[in-house]
Amino acid sequence: MSELKNDRYIRALLKQPVDRTPVWMMRQAGRYLPEYRQLRSQAGDFMSLCKNPELASEVTLQPLRRFPLDAAILFSDILTIPDAMGLGLYFETGEGPKFERPIKSQSDIDRIGTLDPECELKYVMDAVRRIRSDLDGLVPLIGFSGSPWTLATYMVEGGSSKAFTKIKKMMYAEPAMLHSLLEKLATSVVDYLNAQIKAGAQSVMIFDTWGGVLTPRDYQLFSLRYMHKIVDGLIREYQGHRIPVTLFTKNGGMWLEKIAATGCDAVGLDWTININDARARVGDKVALQGNMDPSILYATPERIQEEVSQILADYGQGTGHVFNLGHGIHLDVAPENAGVFVNSVHELSRAYHC
Ligand code: 1CP
């Protein structure tokens, strides 16, 4: 396997010195890029892109051709696991993901078997292998999964949700039932991420998009606990290389110390916390990823630069910061503005590194 030509992203996660602050964007491949929309319409739909390693690799590389990003992220989705578990994932245009057979009872959970990622999810591993080969060491490849809690919200609600009434009902009326589902998901996520690492993912990230809708106590019991189990089960070093793991709970700033205590290498931050406070709270324990509000990409180039400059100053001198948006890039953002963002990070961050 090729050595990395640009390893800034891995080095920053491991708190090793870097020349500039590395940057990538959550959801950097996708609908805001006209070349993505064109390829998707050629392929037919989103899942056809995910299931075709050649196209998945092409889509992964599209943003890297436009912007000097320091990492690539596997083009796939967090909902591949529930789909492989037999829930029947489908997308209705303009409506987001849906499941034909959502989880309603204990017997639905009991029916879920153990996943063999190189079998039911072989298309994901094939995409990882293909992307690694196409990247040819340009930048590291990030593998990912949803957190058990976040996956469970989609599986129980039957799709996206705003109020999370079905899963919260299960959580408070049938907590043992929900725990049995989360337990199965945690096992599958460990196997899935370890398979991605063996296939070539050089770092992994766990998206806990909906952990922030829980009370502090329930966040620990129903979300963090299972992410902790996953961190404990992951391959941390592969073929002589350390594989950094990043945990991202949207709206999880208040639980930063607890997230950092799981043994992860980095914590992803959304924009509701100042990165200066975050750094003071975690000290040397973990690196930080984030945290510009993605909506700032609607602003003028000057305003985008100003915000980047402010966040760099807030983080301060030295390594341990991976610049990112605090959540996914919006689909109607002008690609040029993403370019302004990426270039600003590189140019303005030189002053913060020796
Ligand atoms: O073309 C299309 O219309 C499909 C849109 C789309 C895309 C481009 C979906 C459906 N998923 C993806 C790709 C994707 N999803 C990636 C790889 C691309 C990249 O980052 O460059 C990743 C990492 C994800 C992760 C993901 N999917 C998350 C966690 C991150 C986050 O944004 O919070 C979540 C919650 C999902 C579920 C999902 N899949 C797709 C959509 C539109 C959603 C969100 C639904 C919702 O808001 O509830």
Side-chain angles (χ1 to χ4, degrees):
M1 281 203 188
S2 53
E3 287 300 310
L4 281 168
K5 294 169 188 129
N6 169 357
D7 63 352
R8 234 178 244 138
Y9 163 77
I10 301 282
R11 293 182 64 84
L13 289 178
L14 300 178
K15 297 180 145 264
Q16 296 164 355
V18 286
D19 58 341
R20 293 183 245 175
T21 303
V23 54
W24 68 282
M25 294 180 291
M26 278 199 254
R27 298 293 191 96
Q28 64 192 20
R31 291 177 289 184
Y32 74 107
L33 291 177
E35 57 271 36
Y36 168 81
R37 295 196 296 267
Q38 203 205 329
L39 209 62
R40 188 189 56 184
S41 73
Q42 266 174 34
D45 58 23
F46 166 69
M47 281 311 282
S48 307
L49 284 179
C50 294
K51 292 190 173 175
N52 179 324
E54 194 185 334
L55 296 180
S57 178
E58 173 58 24
V59 175
T60 301
L61 295 175
Q62 283 176 344
L64 293 145
R65 296 204 185 96
R66 278 188 183 249
F67 320 117
L69 295 153
D70 295 297
I73 182 160
L74 161 70
F75 189 81
S76 189
D77 198 75
I78 64 166
L79 301 175
T80 52
I81 287 186
D83 186 44
M85 286 174 162
L87 272 66
L89 173 66
Y90 67 100
F91 286 87
E92 248 162 40
T93 349
E95 282 207 41
K98 291 224 160 66
F99 287 111
E100 280 162 26
R101 293 171 290 280
I103 300 286
K104 294 195 170 126
S105 64
Q106 186 65 53
S107 63
D108 292 338
I109 299 168
D110 294 341
R111 238 182 314 217
I112 297 173
T114 2
L115 286 185
D116 175 353
E118 279 289 358
C119 187
E120 295 93 333
L121 291 160
K122 184 170 179 293
Y123 67 91
V124 177
M125 307 312 146
D126 287 341
V128 171
R129 286 184 276 264
R130 173 71 192 238
I131 300 164
R132 270 303 299 276
S133 150
D134 290 349
L135 273 172
D136 195 24
L138 181 69
V139 290
L141 174 64
I142 306 169
F144 70 91
S145 170
S147 72
W149 163 258
T150 290
L151 293 177
T153 65
Y154 288 96
M155 294 166 79
V156 174
E157 299 289 335
S160 303
S161 178
K162 287 206 166 73
F164 302 94
T165 44
K166 295 193 179 91
I167 191 148
K168 287 202 173 184
K169 185 173 176 191
M170 188 188 282
M171 181 169 69
Y172 293 120
E174 304 272 4
M177 192 194 287
L178 182 55
H179 279 301
S180 73
L181 175 59
L182 295 169
E183 195 69 57
K184 281 196 172 182
L185 284 167
T187 305
S188 294
V189 170
V190 168
D191 294 346
Y192 183 55
L193 288 177
N194 282 341
Q196 289 185 31
I197 292 166
K198 288 182 189 158
Q202 289 146 301
S203 162
V204 292
M205 175 153 171
I206 299 171
F207 291 99
D208 187 28
T209 306
W210 304 120
V213 306
L214 292 166
T215 67
R217 213 181 339 272
D218 292 325
Y219 173 69
Q220 286 213 58
L221 283 174
F222 291 92
S223 182
L224 190 62
R225 185 171 155 211
Y226 293 96
M227 290 201 281
H228 197 157
K229 281 192 182 205
I230 294 166
V231 173
D232 286 344
L234 286 178
I235 298 172
R236 302 303 285 276
E237 200 168 310
Y238 191 66
Q239 295 180 333
H241 296 282
R242 177 112 177 130
I243 311 291
V245 44
T246 302
L247 301 188
F248 170 68
T249 293
K250 183 153 179 282
N251 253 300
M254 58 281 205
W255 307 314
L256 196 52
E257 293 85 348
K258 293 198 166 68
I259 302 171
T262 57
C264 61
D265 297 280
V267 180
L269 305 173
D270 69 17
W271 58 89
T272 61
I273 180 171
N274 184 297
I275 199 162
N276 184 276
D277 299 337
R279 190 180 190 185
R281 282 167 56 192
V282 297
D284 273 342
K285 210 168 170 93
V286 289
L288 295 171
Q289 175 176 282
N291 68 337
M292 193 176 93
D293 183 340
S295 301
I296 289 171
L297 295 181
Y298 292 128
T300 59
E302 294 72 29
R303 179 72 184 85
I304 295 168
Q305 275 166 11
E306 193 185 305
E307 193 69 20
V308 166
S309 155
Q310 191 59 59
I311 292 171
L312 287 169
D314 285 339
Y315 184 81
Q317 287 291 323
T319 187
H321 182 203
V322 171
F323 217 114
N324 205 318
L325 305 172
H327 198 207
I329 186 167
H330 297 309
L331 54 95
D332 57 347
V333 152
E336 305 77 65
N337 288 9
V340 170
F341 166 70
V342 173
N343 288 325
S344 305
V345 174
H346 281 164
E347 282 158 25
L348 301 171
S349 66
R350 287 176 197 270
Y352 295 92
H353 305 281
C354 322

